[in-house]
Amino acid sequence: MSPTSRTPDPGDGPVPPSPPPGPDPATAPPLPDDLVYEHGPGRRVYYAAHQRRMDLTALGQLALALPAFLTSALVVLLVGVLLDVGPGVPFWIPVALWVASGALVFHRPTEDLLARYLFGLRRPMPQEAARLEPVWREVTAIAGVDGGRYRLWVEESDALNALAVAGHVVGVTRYALEQLSSRRLAAVLAHELGHHTGGHAWALLLCHWYGLPGRLVRRVLRATALSLVTPVRCAVYLAGGVLLLALGGFDSTVARILYGLPLLLALPYLSAAVGRRAELRADRHAAGLGFAPELADVLEMLYEDGPPEHESVPARLLSTHPDVPTRLHHLRAYL
């Protein structure tokens, strides 16, 4: 399927002649609204008692990020000690502020900033909101979830994609809004809702946030070493190398104590495997809501647009998303 056309339905009648070059997108025929809206405005909706949970994949994400978290805690503690010795700020204040900052994941204004500036999303246009919001309301009502707690965003992209980030952000690409029928769009949204209700989105962002101090120290050391003149650069390389070795040694020691040496060596592959399991669980969530055929159609569209090139075994093991045939295989039970 091309980005600017769709296959006519047999019930649409004779196929009209091709339009002249350069048609106005506003005159394109609307996509079929094939979703049955049983939970429209004014209808009674029953919400589940527990609308969020932390499934095994979310727990796995947090557990595998523990060494990076402890390394960042060491960095923040060292900063607190320096502030305590210098300006006289108690060392525990920076540590406490850093630990409490994880609550920003669920702070709505912070989520808006992350969505706009970190993930490049925008608010839906009025016509996009008119298409997106009823579908989202129907999906969340079927799931027994209060859809009003989440905010819908649009990514200005010609790719077929969607994402669930932070605590309450759900985004879809403009291409998905323009090219997917309502039921297929509902299947995509149900998949992203599964990431939120399973705890995958906020767990992943917490892992990223609490690992940030350690990553920043490594980047600053590398950037400083590359920007200085040669005589000083050698000393900076030496000092930076010692610090990097200390951080890496601490990180490895913690991971070895927590997981053992075999699991330490396999940590990147385990993290990728947890990411793939999260995708399959989100697929299962959408299928459980009755959107398995439509989700399979969307996956086949992704595969037809460009089957992935042959990857090496390590590359496949380090991928955070399962390939399309694997996802379709897991959907068979619901088809």
Side-chain angles (χ1 to χ4, degrees), residues 58-83:
L59 289 173
Q61 289 171 339
L62 294 174
L64 293 174
L66 190 56
F69 166 77
L70 294 177
T71 302
S72 294
L74 176 62
V75 171
V76 176
L77 181 61
L78 291 176
V79 172
V81 170
L82 292 176
L83 292 176

Side-chain angles (χ1 to χ4, degrees), residues 35 131-140 143 151-153 161-164 170-173 176-177 180 182-196 282 285-286 289 291 295 298:
L35 181 63
R131 171 113 199 282
L132 188 57
E133 291 175 357
V135 178
W136 175 250
R137 182 169 56 244
E138 186 66 22
V139 169
T140 54
R151 297 194 179 184
L152 301 174
W153 295 76
N161 194 21
L163 69 161
V170 177
V172 295
T173 59
L177 281 175
L180 295 181
S182 295
R183 283 196 63 85
R184 290 179 177 178
L185 180 61
V188 172
L189 293 176
H191 172 93
E192 303 307 328
L193 180 63
H195 281 308
H196 275 301
H285 179 269
L289 298 182
F291 297 106
L295 184 59
V298 174

Side-chain angles (χ1 to χ4, degrees), residues 73 75-85 87-102 210:
V75 171
V76 176
L77 181 61
L78 291 176
V79 172
V81 170
L82 292 176
L83 292 176
D84 196 355
V85 173
V89 179
F91 74 93
W92 57 267
I93 291 181
V95 178
L97 291 176
W98 173 67
V99 172
S101 66
Y210 281 122

